[in-house]
Amino acid sequence: MTPIRVAIIGLSANATTDWAQRAHLPYLLSPRGRERFQIFALCNSSVAAAEKSIKVFHLPPATRAYGSPEDLAADPDVQLVVCATRVDKHYETSMPSVKAGKDVFIEWPLAENAVRTDELLKAAEKACGRTIVGLQGWYVPSTIKLKELITSGRLGKVQSSEFRAAGWTNDRGSLSLGLDYFGDRKVGGNLITIGFGHMFDWVQHTLGDFQTLQSHLQLQRPKLKVRDSFTGRTIKTVESDVPDLIYITGTLPANEHTSKGAILHMRHQRAPQFSGEPALVWSIVCEKGEIRLTATNSVMLQISSMADVNIDIEDWEKGTLERIPVRWTTHPDLPVVSRSFVDIYEGYASGDTTKYADFKYAHKRHTQFDGLFASFDASQAA
């Protein structure tokens, strides 16, 4: 096949977060990735910045450099635009390409809120371009294994599930310098939408979407220190408006694998877990037994090495307890954070739209998050 011509927005040598470099670039530059894709252009804050990145990342000299999203969108040779900027730049940097009818891949969160995701969705539907959103938790080994166990019917139907997670940033009372926007809700990237957001998605991808939902959010530490990651020195203190404790309870959809009225309860705190306890415990109670996933240190399984992740299966009828280590067995040549992107990119290349989340799917998730924030704001105003 002729490689698909890709433009990347946000592959920068000076970026505070290097997600494009860490997650997207390894696959696109791998032998497997090069068979299907060609990095054809970069778009950064200026043409000079894009040219610098072309050199820093050793891309071919013929790679086109753009300094504005409008100029990129006007290039008729670009087929797929990948946006990996800060969340509050997704909308403005991607919309020109969306309106131009290009296929567009935007990292999660899609935008700051559901109003803007709806605008992106409507523009994409009007222009008829395909869309992708970076919810890569669908393809980590833990998600795949849990879905396999549930759909096998081995333990009967799901009757309830409880998900408890602790931790996201380094500690409960500070943020790293350059990431202090995590405490500013209007930016759109924070504990709720990113830290909890990925978990919220891959849990529902595994069990089904909440049919009813009630939430209680709390902001326990509104004042956060901002520290230099290299020296540990406190640079300043910021006021956060982002809740740091989340409780959600709701019902799951009844189907051939889930009982009617099955309850899903989720709890996540930004603070680290209690000493000696796992960071993540996810129990799925079925008719004939229970499945329990534990992760000792990491709650962000979509970027986890899986070295500390296990699934235990208790079969009540047989009286057995079985442990299944969950490990990566695919794409060993790629860094861990890049592996789950392979199926997304290749699903797109093959034309199989069921293999990845699109703008419509992401807008559904953003609508859920806007509801969480609305409930929190109402509780604060009461």
Side-chain angles (χ1 to χ4, degrees), residues 10 12-19 22 86 176-181:
S12 172
N14 302 316
T16 301
T17 56
D18 54 356
W19 191 243
R22 294 170 56 217
R86 205 173 84 165
S176 297
L177 184 64
L179 297 177
D180 46 305
Y181 64 85

Side-chain angles (χ1 to χ4, degrees), residues 61-77:
T63 305
R64 297 179 185 178
Y66 289 105
S68 81
E70 292 75 18
D71 289 343
L72 171 62
D75 187 336
D77 297 322

Side-chain angles (χ1 to χ4, degrees), residues 142 163-167 199 202 273-274 276-283 292-302 304-312 323-324 326-327:
S142 53
F163 180 97
R164 293 183 289 111
M199 292 181 264
W202 43 254
Q273 69 270 30
F274 192 84
E277 291 189 354
L280 171 60
V281 179
W282 181 8
S283 298
R292 180 170 295 183
L293 178 146
T294 56
T296 306
N297 302 307
S298 174
V299 297
M300 301 290 281
L301 299 189
Q302 73 278 2
S304 169
S305 69
M306 296 285 154
D308 64 335
V309 180
N310 291 292
I311 294 175
D312 293 306
R323 167 157 288 191
I324 303 175
V326 184
R327 302 294 181 263

